[in-house]
């Protein structure tokens, strides 16, 4: 029997005109440039040629995409439009007659689906996901409560609110959540792996953010667009939609090239999320790059200049038009190098021994985070750290030599862009950096965030300080003082 064709084929870089040695050097540059990368995958001519993840992140672990979610929401809208169920010229109010009752501003009734997808609904301010996530009432109602400052279709204002309303429209007209609809129409055929999409309290996919998916699945979406809406020989998006999304709509904002959550800047087309969750498509090279990172300076909706400079100088420049001679030794060396990428961590002190650190309970002084106590249980191979606050008691298991993969309910919304799942996968490690100080690294491997926790022991007194790699708000919490409870 003929072997079933793989949905995404792999190839040695030389097969598509790139030297494995040069590609390894590109990843080495990423590793040393000062930007914290988590996953970077590369495809050329439709084939996966490199997939690197920085330990403890792993290729198969899905990663939060933040506003890259908007591209999938818009893809669902594109399919619904192509099927003739809705039109970009439909009035938004027509889908929500109950929610617009009593609104006297006539501009609301002139707002179209096109105004939503181009982010020209008339709002004057960005509405971020971290504003709406804590709201338990109707987000649709919240959208229409926002006063219009402009005629719809005139003023561009980047916002997650319009993408949420697009998701609500898809659910209205299909009877399925945007995730369910997109999975049935597209993602199932593309063999997407583990994926989830956050919902609002009324069961509508968040639209502007909230997707967690693997880096290589994000790469597939880039390949779908680069290949004119065709995947594995089947058309899923019309040529007209792809042209509108990747070229025509991008002319609306010539300063940024921003259109349907795709930015076309001199032929380099990208779709992004905050902190560096980005898919980059380069038609002239027939290349797609998928990036997950924790980059505080990144643009929230497109390719950051620092990242683009890295791609231009160290990746795009090494592409040859034709295939190169096979070089299996260099290819193996490249794969081995990619398998050894690591997040930066502190240097250990005196052989990483924790035998003289006191286990036990530390009662916290009154603090702004409502932390009641900390507990340290030093074992043979790991530290079991627990913290009790108003939400309950939360544990993180930290390995001495290796990352420990567990799940934790640890409170962190104030450092994590207001994300607070009930339980979150975490990889953790602990380091002794001097006689009295240990540092824990908590990598929330399905999210962008990596916490650094510094614990300084001074007799029975503990000084506890927590930082995060990136955030839209504070990146550190006030120090907490605690005292060891006598046995």
């Amino acid at each position: 029997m003929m072997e079933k064709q793989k949905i995404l084929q792999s190839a040695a870089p030389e097969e598509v005109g790139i030297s494995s040695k040069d590609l390894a050097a590109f990843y080495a540059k990423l590793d040393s440039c000062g930007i914290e990368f988590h996953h970077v995958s590369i495809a050329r001519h439709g084939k996966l040629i490199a997939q690197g993840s920085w330990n403890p992140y792993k290729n198969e672990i899905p990663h939060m995409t933040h506003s890259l979610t908007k591209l999938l929401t818009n893809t669902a809208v594109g399919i619904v439009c192509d099927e003739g169920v809705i039109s970009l010229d439909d009035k938004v109010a027509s889908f929500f007659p109950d929610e617009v009752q009593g609104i006297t501003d006539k501009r609301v009734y002139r707002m179209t689906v096109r105004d939503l997808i181009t982010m020209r609904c008339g709002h004057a301010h960005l509405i971020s996901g971290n504003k709406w996530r804590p709201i338990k009432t109707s987000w649709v109602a919240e959208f229409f409560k926002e006063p219009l400052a402009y005629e719809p279709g005139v003023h561009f204002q980047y916002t997650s609110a319009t993408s949420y309303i697009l998701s609500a429209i898809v659910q209205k007209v299909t009877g399925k959540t945007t995730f369910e609809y997109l999975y049935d129409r597209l993602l199932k055929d593309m063999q997407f792996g583990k994926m989830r999409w956050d919902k609002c309290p009324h069961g509508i996919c968040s639209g502007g953010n909230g997707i967690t998916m693997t880096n290589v699945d994000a790469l597939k979406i880039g390949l779908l667009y680069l290949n004119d809406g065709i995947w594995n020989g089947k058309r899923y998006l019309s040529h007209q939609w792809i042209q509108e999304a990747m070229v025509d709509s991008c002319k609306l904002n010539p300063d940024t090239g921003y259109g349907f959550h795709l930015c076309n800047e001199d032929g380099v087309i990208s779709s992004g999320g905050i902190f560096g969750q980005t898919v980059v498509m380069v038609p002239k090279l027939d290349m797609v790059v998928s990036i997950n990172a924790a980059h505080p300076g990144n643009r929230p909706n497109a390719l950051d200049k620092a990242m683009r400079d890295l791609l231009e100088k160290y990746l795009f420049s090494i592409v040859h038009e034709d295939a190169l001679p096979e070089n299996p030794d260099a290819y193996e060396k490249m794969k081995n190098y990619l398998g050894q990428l690591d997040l930066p961590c502190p240097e250990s002190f005196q052989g990483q021994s924790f035998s003289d650190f006191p286990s036990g309970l530390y009662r916290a002084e009154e603090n702004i985070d409502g932390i009641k106590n900390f507990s340290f249980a030093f074992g043979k191979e790991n530290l079991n750290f627990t913290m009790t606050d108003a939400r309950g008691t939360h544990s993180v298991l930290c390995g001495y030599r290796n990352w420990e993969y567990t799940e934790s309910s640890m409170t962190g919304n104030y450092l994590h862009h207001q994300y607070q799942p009930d339980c979150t996968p975490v990889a953790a490690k602990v380091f002794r950096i001097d006689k009295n100080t240990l540092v824990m690294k908590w990598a929330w491997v399905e999210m962008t965030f990596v916490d650094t926790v510094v614990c300084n022991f001074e007799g029975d007194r503990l000084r506890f300080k927590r930082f995060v790699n990136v955030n839209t708000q504070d990146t550190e919490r006030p120090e907490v003082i605690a005292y060891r409870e006598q046995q």
Side-chain angles (χ1 to χ4, degrees):
M1 292 179 64
M2 183 179 294
E3 183 181 350
K4 185 178 179 181
Q5 182 183 0
K6 292 182 179 179
I7 209 74
L8 180 59
Q9 294 181 328
S10 297
E14 284 76 14
E15 185 179 323
V16 297
I18 300 175
S19 157
S20 293
K21 182 179 179 181
D22 289 344
L23 198 52
F26 165 69
Y27 277 93
K29 187 63 182 179
L30 297 184
D31 196 35
S32 63
C33 71
I35 297 174
E36 182 184 301
F37 289 94
H38 297 163
H39 306 279
V40 177
S41 299
I42 304 167
R44 188 170 194 228
H45 299 335
K47 296 180 179 180
L48 180 67
I49 59 170
Q51 190 176 11
S53 296
W54 276 254
N55 197 39
Y57 291 85
K58 296 182 181 297
N59 293 335
E60 67 273 13
I61 298 177
H63 194 284
M64 182 178 287
T65 63
H66 296 286
S67 284
L68 182 58
T69 298
K70 293 177 174 70
L71 181 59
L72 277 82
T73 299
N74 294 351
T75 300
V77 173
I79 296 173
V80 173
C81 286
D82 284 343
E83 292 179 346
V85 178
I86 66 171
S87 161
L88 289 181
D89 296 321
D90 287 345
K91 299 295 190 290
V92 175
S94 68
F95 298 101
F96 308 104
D98 294 338
E99 287 84 351
V100 297
Q101 276 188 356
I103 294 179
T104 58
D105 189 338
K106 300 302 181 185
R107 293 176 295 184
V108 168
Y109 301 92
R110 295 194 287 271
M111 188 191 303
T112 67
V113 175
R114 187 184 302 276
D115 297 331
L116 296 180
I117 204 167
T118 58
M119 297 195 179
R120 292 164 179 262
C121 70
H123 289 175
H125 307 287
L126 177 150
I127 297 174
S128 177
N130 66 344
K131 178 179 179 181
W132 278 5
R133 268 189 291 279
I135 296 175
K136 303 304 179 185
T137 53
S138 169
W139 293 6
V140 174
E142 290 294 325
F143 176 83
F144 288 113
K145 284 179 186 176
E146 186 74 18
L148 298 189
Y150 304 94
E151 179 69 25
V154 173
H155 175 75
F156 171 76
Q157 174 59 61
Y158 183 83
T159 180
S160 290
T162 56
S163 300
Y164 170 75
I165 299 300
L166 289 172
S167 178
I169 289 172
V170 171
Q171 186 161 330
K172 274 267 187 177
V173 300
T174 68
K176 299 179 179 180
T177 67
T178 304
F179 183 19
E180 291 167 340
Y181 177 77
L182 197 59
Y183 186 81
D184 289 345
R185 289 293 197 278
L186 174 66
L187 305 183
K188 178 171 60 177
D189 290 350
M190 296 179 78
Q191 295 187 355
F192 264 53
K194 184 180 178 183
M195 176 181 172
R196 69 174 181 274
W197 196 334
D198 295 343
K199 298 177 185 176
C200 77
H202 286 67
I204 299 169
C205 289
S206 47
N209 43 64
I211 283 183
T212 301
M213 62 181 171
T214 65
N215 179 263
V216 77
D217 281 344
L219 184 85
K220 293 175 187 177
I221 292 294
L223 287 168
L224 173 74
Y225 274 83
L226 190 65
N227 201 34
D228 196 41
I230 297 170
W231 181 262
N232 209 31
K234 180 180 176 181
R235 180 170 289 282
Y236 292 88
L237 288 165
S238 67
H239 169 75
Q240 291 79 7
W241 184 268
I242 296 294
Q243 174 70 21
E244 180 82 2
M246 298 183 74
V247 181
D248 297 343
S249 67
C250 299
K251 297 175 183 177
L252 291 170
N253 297 297
D255 54 333
T256 62
Y258 186 86
F260 291 3
H261 203 65
L262 287 161
C263 284
N264 190 330
E265 299 176 279
D266 302 321
V268 176
I269 302 167
S270 63
S271 184
I274 198 168
F275 309 132
Q277 323 321 308
T278 314
V279 173
V280 184
M281 293 148 276
V282 191
K284 69 179 181 181
L285 298 178
D286 195 20
M287 175 180 281
V288 178
V289 183
S290 179
I291 300 168
N292 293 117
H295 180 25
N298 188 73
R299 290 161 60 186
N301 60 347
L303 183 61
D304 173 72
K305 184 182 185 305
M307 286 193 181
R308 172 153 182 170
D309 289 347
L310 286 169
L311 294 176
E312 292 271 10
K313 188 172 181 180
Y314 299 101
L315 178 60
F316 301 164
S317 64
I318 65 173
V319 176
H320 299 263
E321 185 174 347
D322 299 320
L324 301 177
E326 292 183 7
N327 192 340
D329 288 343
Y331 182 37
E332 284 302 312
K333 286 180 180 178
M334 183 199 79
K335 289 193 293 184
N336 289 337
Y337 177 77
L338 296 187
Q340 297 171 13
L341 295 169
D342 283 296
L343 289 183
C345 288
E347 290 189 16
S348 300
F349 169 78
Q350 291 186 351
Q352 194 78 342
S353 172
F354 296 90
S355 58
D356 55 335
F357 276 103
S359 291
L361 185 71
Y362 288 76
R363 300 249 176 223
E365 293 182 344
E366 185 175 348
N367 58 88
I368 193 171
D369 291 330
I371 297 170
K372 298 175 183 177
N373 59 62
F374 307 104
S375 178
F376 298 83
F378 293 94
K380 276 190 173 184
E381 299 294 333
N382 49 50
L383 160 66
N384 187 20
F385 171 82
T386 63
M387 182 182 87
T388 301
D389 60 15
R391 292 180 59 247
T393 298
H394 321 284
S395 298
V396 178
L397 194 65
C398 307
Y400 297 154
R401 298 172 185 83
N402 302 308
W403 294 91
E404 290 276 7
Y405 290 82
T406 55
E407 291 191 343
S408 178
S409 61
M410 182 66 68
T411 302
N413 59 303
Y414 36 64
L415 291 176
H416 298 166
H417 196 49
Q418 290 304 323
Y419 281 99
Q420 186 58 75
D422 291 336
C423 204
T424 313
V426 62
K429 204 171 180 181
V430 61
F431 306 84
R432 182 174 188 166
I433 61 170
D434 63 33
K435 183 178 178 182
N436 299 316
T437 309
L438 63 81
V439 173
M440 292 179 279
K441 298 286 281 192
W442 303 342
W444 306 94
V445 290
E446 291 190 2
M447 299 199 293
T448 314
F449 313 107
V450 179
D451 294 355
T452 299
V453 181
V454 180
C455 298
N456 183 262
F457 297 83
E458 301 167 339
D460 288 335
R461 184 172 183 257
L462 169 69
R463 293 166 53 202
F464 177 93
K465 186 79 173 176
R466 185 174 173 186
F467 307 82
V468 72
N469 53 349
V470 288
N471 194 22
T472 50
Q473 298 166 310
D474 294 338
T475 56
E476 61 181 89
R477 300 304 295 168
E479 185 177 74
V480 178
I481 303 297
Y483 291 91
R484 187 170 183 234
E485 193 170 78
Q486 298 303 315
Q487 302 294 319

